[in-house]
């Protein structure tokens, strides 16, 4: 079973992904966590440290390259794994970032989305950008403005693919979010056909 989690920074994707995998393993099931990062946090830290900021198009080239590599490698790993696979982020995240930065969708990412295996469940973590900003600030590892998070949230909602997501309220506690996520996974598991 392949689960994909998306959402703005501070929505709790990574926390939930880890908890979901740990929960499955605690129940004796095989589970694998795969992260499809784009090096945004590292670029943000370098920008802050050295006092420069990449133009949006240059940042997108780097982020897209890193994300594409991670997604393709992780789909190959997922194909060989017999169990629950949870992907933290996916190509939809790059499309939303492009939209938020005023860049076009391009052709490669939409084409790849049509060629890669369709997730059994695509979950979008929706959260108030102000709460997301509080979470990002509290972890202290990257910088995001409320305006950036609002633009990112709107960009996700404008994606044609957004209609295929199951939207969950990510404003609750990690335990509440995990309980809801486990319920979704259990519902899919009860009706899904094993993939070859």
């Amino acid at each position: 079973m392949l689960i994909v989690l998306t959402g703005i920074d501070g929505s709790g994707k990574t926390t939930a992904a880890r908890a979901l995998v740990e929960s499955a393993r605690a129940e004796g099931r095989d589970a694998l966590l795969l992260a499809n990062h784009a090096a945004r946090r590292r670029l943000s830290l370098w920008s802050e440290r050295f006092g420069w900021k990449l133009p949006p198009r240059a940042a997108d080239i780097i982020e897209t390259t890193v994300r594409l590599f991670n997604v393709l490698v992780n789909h190959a790993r997922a194909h060989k794994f017999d169990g629950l696979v949870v992907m933290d982020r996916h190509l939809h995240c790059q499309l939303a970032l492009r939209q938020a930065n005023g860049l076009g969708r391009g052709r490669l990412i939409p084409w790849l989305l049509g060629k890669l295996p369709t997730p059994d469940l695509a979950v979008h973590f929706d959260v108030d950008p102000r709460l997301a900003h509080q979470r990002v600030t509290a972890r202290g590892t990257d910088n995001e403005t409320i305006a950036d998070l609002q633009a990112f949230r709107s960009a996700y909602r404008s994606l044609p693919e957004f209609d295929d997501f199951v939207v969950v309220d990510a404003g609750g506690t990690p335990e509440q979010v995990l309980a809801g996520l486990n319920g979704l996974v259990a519902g899919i598991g009860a009706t899904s056909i094993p993939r070859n």
Side-chain angles (χ1 to χ4, degrees):
M1 179 186 298
L2 175 60
I3 311 297
V4 167
L5 307 183
T6 67
I8 65 174
D9 297 71
S11 62
K13 300 178 301 297
T14 301
T15 299
R18 289 176 182 152
L20 182 59
V21 167
E22 289 170 5
S23 174
R25 289 174 177 166
E27 294 174 358
R29 293 182 287 149
D30 292 327
L32 179 64
L33 173 60
L34 300 172
N36 293 317
H37 296 285
R40 284 186 68 230
R41 185 174 297 176
R42 186 165 295 165
L43 287 175
S44 174
L45 291 173
W46 284 347
S47 295
E48 185 177 327
R49 180 175 180 184
F50 297 110
W52 50 260
K53 184 173 182 180
L54 281 173
R57 193 162 294 280
D60 175 68
I61 290 171
I62 296 170
E63 292 166 0
T64 298
T65 301
V66 173
R67 179 123 40 211
L68 283 173
F69 175 81
N70 286 329
V71 166
L72 293 174
V73 167
N74 284 335
H75 267 284
R77 292 178 66 192
H79 181 72
K80 298 175 182 178
F81 187 78
D82 186 22
L84 174 66
V85 177
V86 180
M87 287 195 180
D88 176 10
R89 300 172 177 82
H90 206 276
L91 294 177
H92 312 90
C93 302
Q94 204 60 38
L95 289 176
L97 281 172
R98 285 181 170 182
Q99 178 75 13
N101 289 317
L103 304 174
R105 283 170 61 86
R107 295 182 180 177
L108 179 59
I109 291 179
W111 179 80
L112 270 176
L113 278 172
K115 297 297 181 182
L116 290 171
T118 302
D120 296 291
L121 180 64
V123 180
H124 182 75
F125 282 44
D126 189 45
V127 66
D128 186 312
R130 292 168 295 184
L131 175 57
H133 184 259
Q134 290 173 8
R135 292 173 175 174
V136 169
T137 302
R139 69 190 182 202
T141 56
D142 50 347
N143 292 319
E144 296 285 350
T145 67
I146 293 177
D148 287 340
L149 293 169
Q150 287 171 333
F152 198 11
R153 185 188 193 204
S154 296
Y156 264 117
R157 291 172 169 272
S158 72
L159 296 177
E161 297 84 1
F162 190 78
D163 290 341
D164 297 327
F165 296 152
V166 175
V167 180
V168 301
D169 180 0
T173 66
E175 294 77 18
Q176 291 169 332
V177 174
L178 176 60
L181 194 53
N182 270 324
L184 289 172
V185 172
I188 293 294
T191 58
S192 64
I193 299 172
R195 292 181 295 143
N196 294 328

